[in-house]
Amino acid sequence: MTAVFPTVREVIALDPVRIGAPRLVAGESGLDRPVRWVHSAEVPDIATLLRGGELVLTTGIGLPADDAGVRAFVNDLAEVGVSGLIVELGRRYTASVPRVMAAAAQKAGLPLVELRRPTPFVQITEAVHALIVDAQLAELRATEQIHQRFTELSVDGAEPAEVVHQAAQLAGCPVVLENLARQVLAYDAAGDRAEMLLDGWEQHSRRIKAQPSGSGRTGYDPDTGWLVTPVGARGQDWGRLLLRWPASGTARGFAISGDRAPADTAPGAAERAAGAGKARHPQAGPATAADRPGLDRDGAWEEPDAGLAAPSATPPTRLTILLERAASTLALGRLIRRDAEGLERQLHGTLLSALLDHSLPVSEVALRAAALGIQLERRRLVGVVVRHRDESLAAGTEAGQAALRDLADAVSQALREAKQTGLTSAVDDRAVGALLAVRGEEEPALESFAAALRRGRAGTLLIAAGSGVDSLREARRSLVEARQVAEAARHDPAGPDVHRLPNVGLPGLLHLLRDEPRLQTFVERQLGALLAYDAEHPRDALLPTLRVFLEQGRNKSIAASAAHLSRPAFYERLARIERILGVDLDSVQVCLSLHVALLARDVLRG
């Protein structure tokens, strides 16, 4: 864990420093640098003994007298990475530090502070080192509380919304959980207005560019003020967890602001600690230096309001730890739920398969379902099949399997939202089946289930249901009918929310009869001669011409245009079809028979 250090700004605000009437001469841009240590020095080559992060105290009595030497002294300190330089006036420099020192410090961005009254350096050193130790202890206490809280949430199997809520409460900052499509899965505004937090979220989220620092996966975007970490496990991220670090740089949480603004601060202190962050839009950027307290127009240090913590350039390490622990809890919870649901779904699949292939007695299916908490007896049972309309999700591929798993999750979740119970499982490589044990009226229950399932997925799913039955022994008929209706309704772009057998019309009837030999004989009798011709002349196939002619309502002009042929060429092809089949295409009855045969052939070919 990265150590927590006070900033130069915070050190200047300490009582032992304010005794010396501090005045910032140069380097305001570096006031938020962390102070790792305090070092007193009166020799010009002190930079060779430093490692960076030190706040250097000096009276200047040992510094070079010439401008070049002073400039080199300041540049050496800046190059080694010291946090700042404090010069006590009175011994070497009386009215102010040399202009060359101020110019060099300003150019290097090194905070240069002069103390206009005598100040014991030992008191400054003791105060800063005590602040460092206290901050580290506070960080450890906060980190321990974070780990304890999220361990409890993991053990309890908390839902994502609860994990996000706890993270927001601990941090005192808004927290958002989104998926990879930038859709909000859960959020907690931490007291701010939710509509301000989520308005235009997708566009705002895509503007957040948080690059991970070091070897971690968490990054901070100072332009938008969001701390971001991915959520996932086993090398597969499925979302992002974002924490809005307040513009004031403080957090209104338990011990997250412990060493700056304790949780038991007097009433009103938390509000003052929140500062401008509460008044700013949650999607606004961090406060600028002009918004921060501390310096008057002359550079003299003003005492900040009680409870007002000075901001730093990046969020405290504890917020990173909190966000990463919350993300781990979310990822672990999803894995646990998937494993548990996976085992449960296997049992559901076993029972559904037993109903379809009679591998178990109906009484045993009912008994095992009851042991899972699903009452199938004395209920209205309805078979349902759900599948994606997107035929590009190839069965058996990794993408297809992932889509099928997500669909199974969605069906189970929709059942819970609709307050219904039933068996759910994948029935093939493309579809998920369910046997709903309906309580109450059948149609309202199906509508409620379909509405929950389509929420956020409008137009992407096809839902088919079989006829309701009152006995588990008849459940197979409802499941088979639902599967047949789903197959028959695949090419229906509109249709009702739930397809039933009366909705699928002629294609549905043909699908139900697809195993009937007489249907196969009918197709061969109607189209056999034309199919034989196309087999011998594959580059001049006529079946597509017949199909477009029938699909365009026997309108030859429109059909010719749809086939991208000239009218004479299209008419000639129709004449050949009439000769081959020995029919008159001007006959409505002949065309009806041919169209039914074409539809039946499509069904037979799958």
Side-chain angles (χ1 to χ4, degrees), residues 27 33 44 46-48 50-54 56 70-85 101 103-112:
R33 291 180 179 179
I46 187 61
T48 59
L50 303 179
R51 294 189 299 141
E54 296 90 353
V56 177
V70 172
R71 189 180 298 109
F73 170 74
V74 173
N75 290 338
D76 289 345
L77 293 180
E79 287 178 5
V80 81
V82 300
S83 300
L85 174 63
M101 179 183 290
Q106 182 67 27
K107 183 177 181 180
L110 178 68
L112 174 60

Side-chain angles (χ1 to χ4, degrees), residues 489-552:
R490 273 192 307 160
H491 304 294
D492 185 357
D497 288 342
V498 180
H499 290 268
R500 310 296 291 269
L501 191 57
N503 304 130
V504 297
L506 180 59
L509 175 63
L510 295 174
H511 184 82
L512 294 176
L513 298 174
R514 70 186 186 279
D515 295 326
E516 173 60 53
R518 284 174 292 184
L519 181 64
Q520 300 166 14
T521 301
F522 171 76
V523 171
E524 186 63 27
R525 185 172 62 246
Q526 292 291 316
L527 300 174
L530 191 61
L531 293 172
Y533 174 88
D534 286 354
E536 294 180 5
H537 307 85
R539 303 186 65 176
D540 188 33
L542 294 175
L543 189 67
T545 301
L546 176 62
R547 181 186 297 276
V548 73
F549 171 67
L550 296 174
E551 288 179 348
Q552 298 302 324

Side-chain angles (χ1 to χ4, degrees), residues 13 17 64 78 92 95 140 147 178 230 240 253 258 274 301 307 328 408 476 480 516 555 565:
V17 180
R92 174 65 182 276
L140 289 173
H147 284 291
E178 65 175 16
R240 296 199 308 173
W301 197 260
S328 298
R476 180 182 185 276
V480 170
E516 173 60 53
N555 186 311
L565 293 172

